[in-house]
Amino acid sequence: MSAHLHATPLFVGDGFSVHDVRCSAGPGDVAPPEVHRAYVLAYVRSGSFGVRTERGAHQLVAGGFMTGAPGEVYACSHEHGHGDTCLSFHLAPELVESLAGERAAGWRSGGLPPDPELGMLAALGMAAAEGGTDVSLEEAALFLVDR
């Protein structure tokens, strides 16, 4: 994990976890390649960053999503600004395959642009993390993954 990255667990459950991730990297900071250990869907709450995988590169902005699958190599960069914050969902393969089925292949794209429906579900996750809704963080995460 990069020295610029700080991840705070918000929920750790059977088969998945949710983290508040904050990165302070900026232009000129070199990020080493990393490997996803689980399926990852990270909602970009603020800032922007680039992510490069063997399938291509994406420039992610607030409202977008970084995606990843177990074993996938990726590297992030901050060529256009300093730092970002994400709400990051990490899920076991069995959970994603049971909920997403054939859609699980979409997790290998590396990134998704802002999407109103996914953004609303991610906002529900943020509200749950802050205690601003009766929906639990676990429920919000499952709604998001099921989409």
Side-chain angles (χ1 to χ4, degrees), residues 8-12 16-22 43 45 86-89 120-141:
T8 303
L10 301 175
F11 176 85
V12 178
F16 75 97
S17 60
V18 182
H19 304 264
D20 175 44
V21 179
R22 297 171 186 272
Y43 175 67
R45 295 168 52 187
C86 294
L87 185 63
S88 187
F89 301 85
M120 187 135 99
L121 292 171
L124 180 61
M126 290 188 312
E130 296 166 354
T133 178
D134 290 337
V135 174
S136 72
L137 187 52
E138 180 179 16
E139 289 173 305

Side-chain angles (χ1 to χ4, degrees), residues 10 47 60 71 80 96 100 110-111 115 117 126 131 141-142 146:
L10 301 175
L60 302 175
H80 303 292
V96 171
D115 174 275
E117 185 178 353
M126 290 188 312
L142 292 174
D146 193 35

Side-chain angles (χ1 to χ4, degrees), residues 97 100-106:
E97 290 159 9
E102 293 178 10
R103 293 176 292 149

